[in-house]
């Protein structure tokens, strides 16, 4: 079996599983956030007629999409979640502490775990060697009640990445390039397993960016085998031992793709589809109205640090707004203590409370008609952040910071630091 | 047999289009349903209960929001025909008991055409043209036949209970 099949088998009653097989698995955690939890609570108490969750320790609730509450409906949603958490005796409830996926990675995820979440970017946790995937609210309600859920064993695609990372180019550029090549449905129902020297060279924060976006090619899981960097990350978070899984000698991958990053240029996803990807050159100089640095894709300390290194001592263009939203409270605090937040604020950024922010259009940063947003988030669907007549462009933190400086789409390799 | 007129879409229809982010905090699906495909005039102007969405590849991609298939169900969607479906949407729609039909030639069907769908074929009533459909896996079909995942689980529970009772006799 390959590593994906082995982790799935370990969470089921089967000893051997094969792609295409449908199995019942017991997830280690079942997460829901304020965009999906209320529907799950309704299904749980309503159609499922359930009283208590199977295992309160495994249920995680996060308020992040509409936080701080942006409307009366949002506030009512949050109160419904709080009441459910109290009734069920849930301990893992995060209220205004940041984006669900970032918090899962900071506080819970370990290699070899199986996690389901009522959010499509749950696949991010593969960056630490866990199998994690998004499901809907009914599936999550079923998992809360039964402690198990059915899953189809996916085929796996291996992506071997070689070469040295050029300055100004990062994991975001690679994953945009891969999605452009695979298309928005090229990996539907599959696991994408990243390996090779260039992946080993990536910090954990960028590995998360890679796995975060596999869903944009339709994939069910992203996966990166844990290594010393994973161990350092886990140790810092107080997690030291975990079950380790590796490919058997007869492991099968449906396809093996190879990428060389040494000649990779910064990439941009053009509206309104994430697979509409081009090299930055084509759009350099295009004026934008808003820049957003944040989201579960690129709202980590390292992302803020890159932006600060570009903006240090300079002012952003006065033709645009620049929103910065740390992905979690811990990131916010560290960036405040190290002076990164001060650098960004001095350059003209608006810094927001941790959460989904302008990725989702649930709180601030909403776009008006015909406005253009350049964002470090993961989706550029029509109208996702406001007016259906607005446009969203996706790029790396370096591209967003360089562009904020000039007011137009700018190749970060052209900015002296 | 399912009958209805086609409301035609292209590829990569995402769940943000079906129901926008700012509607998800409304208290119930009933409150969200009026905003289904609110920025898609061909849906807003032409959709009537029982109609069939016909799309190309990757229908329902993006966000895992189950509110997307749920508002379609509440609006009385007859079926969704597509060349292919995104994974999470597929699961959510089946869980809610919405008939999903994979048809490699879905792109050939025209907007507003009257369709008739049986177990293995889609027929256009006006032109008489027929298109093959790819049957759903048995396990998925059993969920759909029961009317969704919850009814399916309840039936399985009753079946087990009945088996236990029988073995006790
Ligand atoms: S930051 Fe964006 S992509 Fe990530 S969970 Fe929030 S809304 Fe979803």
């Amino acid at each position: 079996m390959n590593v994906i099949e082995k982790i799935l088998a370990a969470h089921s009653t089967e000893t051997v599983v094969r792609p295409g097989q449908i199995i019942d698995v017991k997830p280690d955690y079942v997460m829901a956030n304020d965009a999906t939890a209320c529907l799950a609570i309704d299904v749980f108490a309503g159609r499922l007629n359930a009283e208590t969750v199977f295992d309160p320790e495994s249920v995680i609730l996060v308020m992040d999409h509409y936080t701080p509450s942006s409307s009366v409906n949002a506030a009512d949603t949050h109160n419904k979640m709080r009441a459910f958490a109290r009734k069920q005796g849930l301990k893992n409830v995060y209220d205004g502490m940041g984006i669900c996926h970032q918090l899962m990675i900071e506080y819970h995820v370990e290699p070899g775990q199986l996690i389901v979440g009522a959010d499509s970017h749950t696949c991010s946790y593969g960056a630490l060697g866990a199998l994690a995937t998004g499901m809907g609210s009914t599936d999550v309600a079923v998992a809360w009640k039964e402690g198990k859920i059915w899953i189809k064993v996916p085929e796996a695609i291996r992506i071997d990445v070689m070469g040295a990372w050029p300055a100004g180019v990062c994991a975001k550029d690679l994953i945009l390039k891969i999605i452009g090549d695979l298309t928005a449905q090229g990996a539907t129902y599959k696991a994408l397993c990243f390996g090779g020297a260039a992946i080993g060279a990536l910090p954990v924060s960028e590995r998360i960016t890679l796995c975060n976006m596999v869903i944009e090619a339709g994939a069910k899981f992203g996966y990166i085998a844990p290594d010393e960097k994973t161990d350092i990350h886990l140790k810092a978070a107080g997690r030291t031992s975990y079950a380790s899984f590796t490919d058997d000698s007869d492991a099968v991958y449906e396809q093996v793709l190879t990428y060389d990053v040494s000649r990779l240029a910064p990439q941009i996803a053009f509206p309104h589809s994430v697979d509409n990807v081009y090299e930055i050159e084509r759009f350099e100089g295009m004026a934008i109205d808003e820049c957003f640095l944040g989201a579960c894709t690129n709202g980590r300390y390292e992302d803020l640090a890159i932006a600060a290194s570009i903006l240090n001592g300079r002012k952003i263009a006065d033709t645009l707004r620049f929103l910065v939203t740390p992905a979690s409270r811990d990131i916010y605090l560290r960036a405040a203590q190290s002076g990164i937040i001060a650098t960004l604020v001095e350059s003209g950024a608006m810094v927001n409370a941790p959460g989904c922010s302008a990725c989702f259009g649930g709180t601030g940063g909403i776009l008006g008609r015909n406005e253009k947003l350049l964002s470090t988030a993961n989706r550029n669907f029509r109208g996702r952040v406001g007016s259906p007549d607005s446009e969203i462009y996706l790029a790396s933190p370096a591209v967003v910071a360089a562009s904020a400086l000039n007011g137009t789409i700018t190749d970060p390799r052209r900015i002296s630091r | 047999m399912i009958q209805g007129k086609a409301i035609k879409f292209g590829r990569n229809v995402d769940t943000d289009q079906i129901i926008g982010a700012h509607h998800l905090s409304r208290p119930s699906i009933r409150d969200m349903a009026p905003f289904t495909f609110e920025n898609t005039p061909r849906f807003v102007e032409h959709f009537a209960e029982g109609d069939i969405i016909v799309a190309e590849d990757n229908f329902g991609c993006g966000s895992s929001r189950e509110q997307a298939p749920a508002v379609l169900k509440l609006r009385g969607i007859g079926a969704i025909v597509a060349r292919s479906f995104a994974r999470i949407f597929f699961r959510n729609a089946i869980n809610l008991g919405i008939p999903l039909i994979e048809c490699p030639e879905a792109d050939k069907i025209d907007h507003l055409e009257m369709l008739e769908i049986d177990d293995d074929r889609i027929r256009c009533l006006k032109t008489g043209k027929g298109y093959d459909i790819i049957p759903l896996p048995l396990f998925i079909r059993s969920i759909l036949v029961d009317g969704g995942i919850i009814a399916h689980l309840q039936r399985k529970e009753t079946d087990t209970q009945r088996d236990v009772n029988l073995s006790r006799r």
Side-chain angles (χ1 to χ4, degrees), chain A residues 22 35-36 39 42-43 47-48 66 71 73-74 77 80 118-120 133-139 142 145-146 149-151 183-185 188-189 215 218-220 273 275 360-361 379 381-382 384 388, chain B residues 11-12 14-17 20-29 39 57-58 61-67 70 84-88 90-92 94-96 137 139-140 143 149-150 153-154 156-157:
Chain A
I22 287 171
T36 55
L39 186 51
D42 287 345
V43 172
R47 282 184 293 140
L48 269 176
Y66 299 102
S71 65
N73 280 337
T77 294
K80 188 164 166 176
D119 191 283
S120 58
T133 195
M135 290 188 183
S137 299
T138 295
D139 274 324
V142 168
K145 177 176 181 231
E146 312 257 328
I149 191 92
W150 71 266
I151 223 166
T183 78
Q185 55 161 358
T188 298
Y189 242 111
I215 176 70
K220 176 181 207 152
S273 165
D275 60 2
F360 182 67
R379 286 197 174 130
F381 300 155
R382 187 189 294 278
R384 179 164 168 97
Chain B
R11 62 191 276 269
N12 294 340
D14 59 77
T15 51
D16 276 72
Q17 284 179 51
H22 50 295
H23 297 304
L24 301 184
S25 62
R26 291 183 189 276
S28 71
I29 299 297
N39 296 315
D57 281 311
N58 208 23
C61 64
S63 158
S64 66
R65 61 189 67 163
E66 187 173 307
Q67 290 92 338
S84 64
F85 292 93
R87 183 186 69 83
I88 305 177
F90 181 86
R91 209 175 154 127
N92 285 342
I94 296 290
N95 278 346
L96 296 179
F139 172 71
I140 302 290
I143 297 177
I149 188 73
I150 292 175
L153 291 172
Q154 282 159 352
K156 278 205 330 200
E157 227 167 82

Side-chain angles (χ1 to χ4, degrees), chain A residues 152-200:
Chain A
K152 186 165 122 191
V153 180
E155 259 126 16
I157 298 177
R158 211 174 71 211
I159 302 186
D160 288 338
V161 189
M162 306 300 162
W165 292 91
V169 175
C170 64
K172 180 63 164 284
D173 301 304
L174 173 65
I175 190 66
L176 286 175
K177 170 89 180 125
I178 291 173
I179 294 162
D181 292 349
L182 284 175
T183 78
Q185 55 161 358
T188 298
Y189 242 111
K190 313 240 158 109
L192 289 187
C193 304
F194 300 95
I199 302 300

Side-chain angles (χ1 to χ4, degrees), chain A residues 31 33 35 64-65 99-102 119-122 124 212 216 292 294-297 327 355-361 377-379 384, chain B residues 63 65:
Chain A
M31 187 276 295
N33 59 44
D64 55 359
H65 284 62
I99 304 167
C100 53
H101 307 307
Q102 183 60 28
D119 191 283
S120 58
H121 294 101
T122 302
S124 308
N212 176 271
E216 311 312 334
F292 173 56
C296 51
T297 327
C356 296
S357 187
C359 173
F360 182 67
N378 42 33
R379 286 197 174 130
R384 179 164 168 97
Chain B
S63 158
R65 61 189 67 163

Side-chain angles (χ1 to χ4, degrees), chain A residues 304 308 311-315 332 334-349 351:
Chain A
L304 272 50
L311 291 165
N312 191 13
R314 297 159 156 153
K315 293 266 182 257
Y332 197 168
R334 282 193 292 140
Q337 286 165 341
S338 70
I340 285 174
I341 296 288
T343 301
L344 295 172
V345 171
E346 277 163 6
S347 79
V351 179

